[in-house]
Amino acid sequence: MGRILSGMQPSGRFHLGNYMGALENWVKLQNDYECIFFIADLHALTSSYADTSKLQENIHEMAIDWLSAGLDPEKNIIFVQSHVKEHAELALLLGMSTPLGWLERVPTYKDKIRDLEGTDKDLHTYGFLGYPVLMAGDIMLYKATHVPVGEDQSAHLELTREIVRRFNFLYKKEVFPEPQAVFSKAKVLPGIDGRKMSKSYGNIIPFGASAEELTAKVRMMTTDPARIKKTDPGHPDVCIVHQFQKVFNTEDCENITARCKAGDIGCVQCKKCLAEKMNTLLAGIHEKRAELEKKPGFVKEVLEYGDRRAQEIASRNMLEIKEAMNVL
Ligand code: TRP
Ligand code: SF4
């Protein structure tokens, strides 16, 4: 049995795409591995350092999202990154030996700076360049053997492996295992307008949406533009509703597709059917969320409990790391 570690940045409203892409997978992994999951608030600061007014609220919201999705705080260690100071310490130590070129060559580095050009986020900072070093430290601090990552994070994990090899070589001790990626067949959901689901496009379905809010979002989804009357034969391939049917309504999808092509079902009815299906699937999560929203003290306690358990491992491993580096 290996040790899984993963984190997510608390950067605003968590959406259904995040859930299907990562969290749903974590909920499954918790039964097969020892898991450590943390809210990566320090990583959020690498790009959102200027306005931190929502940070605490976002951390709290993310904890509710995780718990309502079914992450079990007894089975897993669930905590907040900045509460365990060794994350900062290890990033500093690893930064000493990480070549600048390795960081500049990370493909997402220049892309993201370019993406955000012209916005209020200037990423020409020391912290943003060091983002992958901070992430390597997160993984190494717990000697994680497996890291569930999406496509977007796989270059960072590859870099972590290089940093591990360099450390073990420089200090002549196999302190860290080389972490392996755990790829899941992530179900990719588009936004309701067909572009990538992203807060900045305003096309997300919030994970914490109520049944009414969710139904309203489904109603707004883009359908086959060539279809005017419900007897017109439709083209499900170009329809966003269809993509959601494939994920959330696996049993009826084939039938609905055939009826759409035959002009035998209207988009209004098709959407109604999808919204019902989604709401049924998410009902348990909605219920749990409503409960947790009434108990902020409990959520805080869960995180504090996780902080303590993470701290214990971090303190122990940090000692070994510093010993190997002879900085005790
Ligand atoms: N960088 C990750 C993200 O933005 C979050 C993260 C931070 C992470 N440290 C990590 C993920 C360590 C996996 C392992 O999604
Ligand atoms: Fe899309 Fe459904 Fe309308 Fe067909 S019937 S175009 S799948 S919404």
Side-chain angles (χ1 to χ4, degrees), residues 5-9 38 40 43 81 131 134-136 138-139 147-149 152-153 156:
L5 175 128
S6 200
M8 271 184 214
Q9 292 186 43
F38 65 95
H43 275 94
Q81 183 185 28
Y131 175 115
L134 183 61
M135 181 162 158
D138 298 335
I139 298 167
V147 181
V149 285
D152 57 324
Q153 297 292 324
H156 293 143

Side-chain angles (χ1 to χ4, degrees), residues 64 67-68 288-296 298-299:
I64 292 185
L67 296 175
S68 60
K288 206 145 170 213
R289 164 172 271 280
E291 230 174 83
L292 290 165
E293 275 169 353
K294 282 185 243 145
K295 297 192 292 187
F298 171 76
V299 176

Side-chain angles (χ1 to χ4, degrees), residues 223-224 227 239 241-242 260 265-267 270:
T223 58
D224 174 5
R227 228 176 158 212
C239 176
V241 180
H242 175 67
C260 170
I265 182 173
C267 295
C270 178

Side-chain angles (χ1 to χ4, degrees), residues 11-71:
S11 43
R13 244 181 145 184
F14 193 71
H15 60 66
L16 202 58
N18 301 132
Y19 172 67
M20 299 306 284
L23 190 54
E24 195 192 29
N25 185 38
W26 290 9
V27 174
K28 288 186 196 126
L29 288 169
Q30 69 180 346
N31 298 316
D32 303 325
Y33 291 88
E34 177 195 353
C35 294
I36 303 179
F37 298 119
F38 65 95
I39 299 176
D41 56 345
L42 295 175
H43 275 94
L45 288 178
T46 61
S47 49
S48 306
Y49 54 84
D51 181 6
T52 59
S53 57
K54 294 264 162 48
L55 187 59
Q56 294 313 314
E57 184 186 321
N58 289 345
I59 291 172
H60 183 77
E61 281 299 310
M62 176 153 274
I64 292 185
D65 288 328
W66 289 9
L67 296 175
S68 60
L71 275 195

Side-chain angles (χ1 to χ4, degrees), residues 266-278:
C267 295
V268 173
Q269 195 192 341
C270 178
K271 285 177 165 179
K272 188 161 164 267
C273 172
L274 172 66
E276 272 166 19
K277 210 59 192 200
M278 290 175 76

Side-chain angles (χ1 to χ4, degrees), residues 218-242:
V218 171
R219 244 184 252 131
M220 284 157 65
M221 282 180 190
T222 317
T223 58
D224 174 5
R227 228 176 158 212
I228 318 259
K229 297 189 300 304
K230 88 179 205 190
T231 46
D232 293 339
H235 306 85
D237 295 344
V238 300
C239 176
I240 303 311
V241 180
H242 175 67

